[in-house]
Amino acid sequence: MRNVAPVSRVPFADLSHQWNPIATEAMAELRQLFSDSAFSLGPWVERFEQSVAGYLGTPHAIGVNSGTSALHLALIAAGIGPGDEVLLPSHTFIATAWAVLYVGATPVLCDVEEGSGTIDVADAERRLSSATKAIVPVHLYGQPADMAAVESLAQRHGLTVIEDAAQAIGATYDGRRAGTLGKFGCFSFYPAKNLGAAGEAGLVVTSDGAAAARMRALRHHAQSERYVHAELGFNYRMEGVQGLVLDHKLRLLPDWIEERKGLANAYAERLSHLPLALPRVAHKDHVFHLYVVRTPERDALRAFLQERGIETGLHYPVPLHRQPCFSALDLDRDSFPVSDRYASECLSLPLFTGMDKAQLDYVCEGVLAYYGKS
Ligand SMILES: *Cc1c(COP(=O)(O)O)cnc(C)c1O
């Protein structure tokens, strides 16, 4: 946290703080990339794949064009298809479910834990059937799901674990990086994520060499050799520019994560005495992609902060079991009480790389003022 002059508005995020520290070095290399025309895959993507594999501690990292594509390739490589059921939390970003639909499988929505907002594995177990083939825990807001429970369920029922780590790059769980605990780990580098590309990008990782080779081919029109297509393929290639920018930013990610934790701690210190549910770190180690508080007065608090120039977010206001696109899913829509509560009570406060102390103070003062405590 830096110390600067008083502020009168705070944006939800300011991504320039991820770009400015790498701009000089990255621009020089970008000039080279452009003159080499290394626009699609190529050496800069390969370099990033190697460095991110090293950072995560995984043998195979495959750069793709989005987190959604990463999930799609993982589900294909897991052999999931029509007739199969896949467990996933109802309280997540929609893309977790898209991938299940893309392969023609059936999403089986599960409720989430009160404390962490991540998948409630006991509820998932109740929703198992003989058709269940996989589980997709989401490391929501940057906090790993209860992976010990996920792993135990998966082993007992022969499920493939595909981690949606889109919000949690760099988080550790039991000494390992989120995304390397299951058979597959999927990441998004959408610009607003903790590690953001200069456009769209994603990554899928696995320790299974055969699955990795298949996903590498699939992202590139399923070419095992040039113009020979073994199966239905996709254009999910990562762009060279993204590999270059991500590689530079990855070097700063450990510092950025510490900074996020510091901001989260500062919020917790200032706000803990209020009638507001603060993020609970139930499963270490939370990297605070989002700082989500909960209150039944969410809408009033949000409007109050907006009036003071404080931007907030809602992650997410409509749970999957209430999405119009799932109206045909046969399920008991009242069996997700915790997801429903998250949807109506969640409020994301500003927390971003480069946020300064004055901005944090201003947000805290706004929240305290709402509760009449300023
Ligand atoms: C961002 C995100 C995705 C999708 O990533 P894209 O790169 O936008 O396709 C998937 N799941 C979760 C939980 C996300 O936050």
Side-chain angles (χ1 to χ4, degrees), residues 6-13 267 300-313 348-350 352 355 358-367 369:
V7 287
S8 58
R9 70 172 292 276
V10 179
F12 184 63
Y267 269 138
L301 173 58
R302 184 172 204 220
F304 184 88
L305 295 176
Q306 187 66 49
E307 288 222 333
R308 295 180 154 229
I310 299 165
E311 280 178 22
T312 56
S348 310
L349 301 182
F352 51 89
M355 184 175 186
Q359 290 174 315
L360 184 119
D361 286 344
Y362 189 74
V363 177
C364 291
E365 280 154 22
V367 176

Side-chain angles (χ1 to χ4, degrees), residues 163-196:
E163 298 175 71
D164 182 340
Q167 303 186 356
I169 190 159
T172 52
Y173 181 93
D174 211 5
R176 289 156 70 197
R177 296 280 186 204
T180 66
L181 300 146
K183 168 116 184 179
F184 299 97
C186 304
F187 297 88
S188 167
F189 306 120
Y190 179 73
K193 296 282 158 77
N194 282 16
L195 179 65

Side-chain angles (χ1 to χ4, degrees), residues 66-69 71 92-93 95-96 138 164 166-167 188-190 193 200-201 316:
S66 76
T68 308
S69 302
L71 286 160
T92 181
F93 181 58
T96 313
V138 179
D164 182 340
Q167 303 186 356
S188 167
F189 306 120
Y190 179 73
K193 296 282 158 77
E200 304 283 347
Y316 297 90

